[in-house]
């Protein structure tokens, strides 16, 4: 009876039961090998939705909060809208990065291990912009033509970033001023223009 009880106990050690439904993705232990404490036997990927783990530089950590909307980008795929679902409270001491996790939709068709980039808003500000076609660049000068009593007047401006075909105006223009968005090569300062 004692031998039977021992055999049953040994048999129970040979059966592994996962705490969740999933797929085995790695088997580092070989059949017949001794199971050692701390040595993984199997790697199981939980069935269902995936999460993106993002390494964020500590300088960006102050802009993050739970529920913050993100856009995730994978090569060759449409952007995925998500939200921050977890922020690990401690920085990685080696890389000085913060780990942030975002839930992914189940229907995204993604696989674990894929590389993903993330974008999120760090703040908002109102800015003046104009179409990139309204700018004439000459000898490192940026010039726009402002409509002044039916005449085109050239004005030097300082421009910032370009986004979606528009240039940010840092100085040289005021809100409400009318500019010419199409600049013929023959257009000069003081030329008479007519709105179409």
């Amino acid at each position: 009876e004692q031998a039977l009880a021992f055999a049953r106990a040994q048999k129970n050690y040979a059966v592994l039961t996962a705490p969740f439904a999933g797929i085995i993705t790695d088997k580092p232990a070989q059949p017949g090998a001794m199971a050692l404490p701390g040595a993984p036997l199997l790697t199981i990927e939980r069935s269902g939705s995936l999460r993106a783990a993002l390494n964020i530089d500590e300088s960006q950590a102050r802009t993050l909060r739970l529920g913050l909307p993100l856009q995730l980008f994978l090569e060759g795929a449409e952007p995925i809208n998500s939200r921050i679902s977890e922020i690990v409270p401690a920085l990685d001491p080696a890389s000085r990065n913060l780990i942030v996790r975002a839930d992914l939709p189940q229907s995204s068709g993604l696989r674990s291990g894929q590389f993903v980039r993330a974008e999120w808003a760090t703040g908002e500000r109102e800015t003046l912009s104009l179409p990139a076609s309204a700018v004439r660049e000459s000898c490192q000068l940026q010039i726009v033509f402002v409509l002044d009593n039916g005449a085109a007047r050239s004005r030097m401006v300082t421009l910032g970033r370009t986004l979606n075909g528009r240039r940010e105006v840092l100085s040289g223009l005021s809100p409400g001023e009318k500019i010419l968005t199409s600049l013929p090569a023959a257009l000069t300062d003081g030329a008479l223009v007519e709105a179409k």
Side-chain angles (χ1 to χ4, degrees), residues 74-156:
L74 289 99
E75 191 170 330
E78 290 293 316
I80 298 169
N81 293 320
S82 185
R83 293 186 177 276
I84 292 178
S85 58
E86 182 184 352
I87 299 175
V88 176
L91 293 173
D92 177 5
S95 66
R96 307 300 301 161
N97 286 342
L98 181 70
I99 297 175
V100 172
R101 294 188 177 94
D103 294 328
L104 298 171
Q106 289 189 11
S107 61
S108 60
L110 301 174
R111 296 179 181 269
S112 62
Q114 283 185 289
F115 178 78
V116 64
R117 288 183 305 108
E119 288 183 2
W120 65 94
T122 58
E124 292 181 11
R125 67 184 171 105
E126 198 168 303
T127 183
L128 184 64
S129 69
L130 50 80
S133 63
V135 180
R136 180 180 284 173
E137 301 206 25
S138 175
C139 300
Q140 298 182 347
L141 298 176
Q142 297 164 326
I143 299 168
V144 297
F145 285 87
V146 178
L147 187 60
D148 181 26
N149 293 325
R153 299 289 176 199
S154 65
R155 188 175 303 167
M156 286 191 295

Side-chain angles (χ1 to χ4, degrees), residues 172-190:
L173 280 179
S174 299
E177 289 189 286
K178 293 183 180 179
I179 61 166
L180 289 115
T181 57
S182 178
L183 304 178
L187 183 66
T188 58
D189 186 59

Side-chain angles (χ1 to χ4, degrees), residues 152-168:
R153 299 289 176 199
S154 65
R155 188 175 303 167
M156 286 191 295
V157 292
T158 305
L159 302 176
R161 295 178 293 178
T162 302
L163 182 65
N164 297 328
R166 296 189 67 83
R167 302 284 304 267
E168 178 184 23

